Amino acid sequence: MIVLLPRVLPAKLSFLFAVLKGVLTRKGSLVLVPALWMILTGFASAHSFTAALLVVGADREANLAEAVRGFLLAADEKDGHANETSDGHLGGVDVQVLPLPYDATGLVVGLVGTPDEPADVVIVLGSEPAASEAAREFRSASTVLLQAVLPEGWDRDDGTDGFVARYRLAYGTVPGVMAATAYHAARRLDVAIRPLDGVVPQAALEDSWRATETGLPW
């Protein structure tokens, strides 16, 4: 019997699948293997999501690379564990990062995850009206969250010194406004997701996202 199992499981679930598959095989219940795979991949999907970062405006390549660095810094601050197969964690959930647009990804580095398409969440980083115009393409398939670029002087706000120091330690340079904007967006998403343990229901996520627009510490 040939069983096609296309989805890649995280390391711990792959080990569990191998053990249970051996048990089922010895008991002559190989027909149950696909069902077991579906259950485990469903569990993995429920505790993992893809976040697309869509940068709009000028200097997209440089800004997208910087945005990814800022986002990854936030995603690496909590809930880490051994044998990572994602790009970090937000709200206690594995996050896979998908940089967009595709033609601006030439400078992006540091991603190790396996993002799905369409993304579960698309975070649009940019100014209006360009941000809302770009968001229209994704609203039918993803939850779209708009993050305005932080204003000039963001680095003089209380608490930003810690972020700047962590960014400099991680990347050897000071963060620009797009790195700070993406870091802030990731922190907002972390707070929005945590009580939901995921990115659904969509309406609840959108409400939680809006509630983090101001007052979020660095």
Side-chain angles (χ1 to χ4, degrees), residues 96-163:
Q96 323 286 343
V97 176
L98 177 66
L100 295 173
Y102 299 112
D103 61 0
T105 59
L107 300 178
V108 172
V109 296
L111 297 179
V112 299
T114 53
D116 292 326
E117 295 186 60
D120 300 290
V121 174
V122 176
I123 302 175
V124 185
L125 307 168
S127 303
E128 295 292 2
S132 291
E133 291 173 358
R136 292 195 188 102
E137 177 184 347
F138 302 93
R139 289 194 183 280
S140 63
S142 306
T143 300
V144 177
L145 306 174
L146 300 180
Q147 172 63 59
V149 177
L150 296 181
E152 185 178 350
W154 65 268
D155 52 344
R156 294 193 293 271
D157 290 347
D158 291 341
T160 56
D161 288 351
F163 160 66

Side-chain angles (χ1 to χ4, degrees), residues 19-111:
V19 172
L20 294 177
K21 179 183 177 183
V23 173
L24 292 174
T25 301
R26 288 194 298 273
K27 291 182 176 294
S29 301
L30 191 59
V31 69
L32 296 178
V33 171
L36 172 63
W37 184 266
M38 291 176 65
I39 291 170
L40 291 179
T41 54
F43 175 81
S45 297
H47 219 66
S48 175
F49 74 100
T50 295
L53 298 181
L54 175 63
V55 168
V56 299
D59 299 322
R60 292 186 304 171
E61 278 203 8
N63 284 337
L64 181 57
E66 190 171 84
V68 168
R69 290 194 294 269
F71 195 89
L72 289 178
L73 186 65
D76 193 45
E77 290 181 340
K78 297 180 181 178
D79 308 311
H81 56 75
N83 302 317
E84 293 282 11
T85 58
S86 68
D87 292 310
H89 304 82
L90 293 174
V93 182
D94 286 355
V95 58
Q96 323 286 343
V97 176
L98 177 66
L100 295 173
Y102 299 112
D103 61 0
T105 59
L107 300 178
V108 172
V109 296
L111 297 179

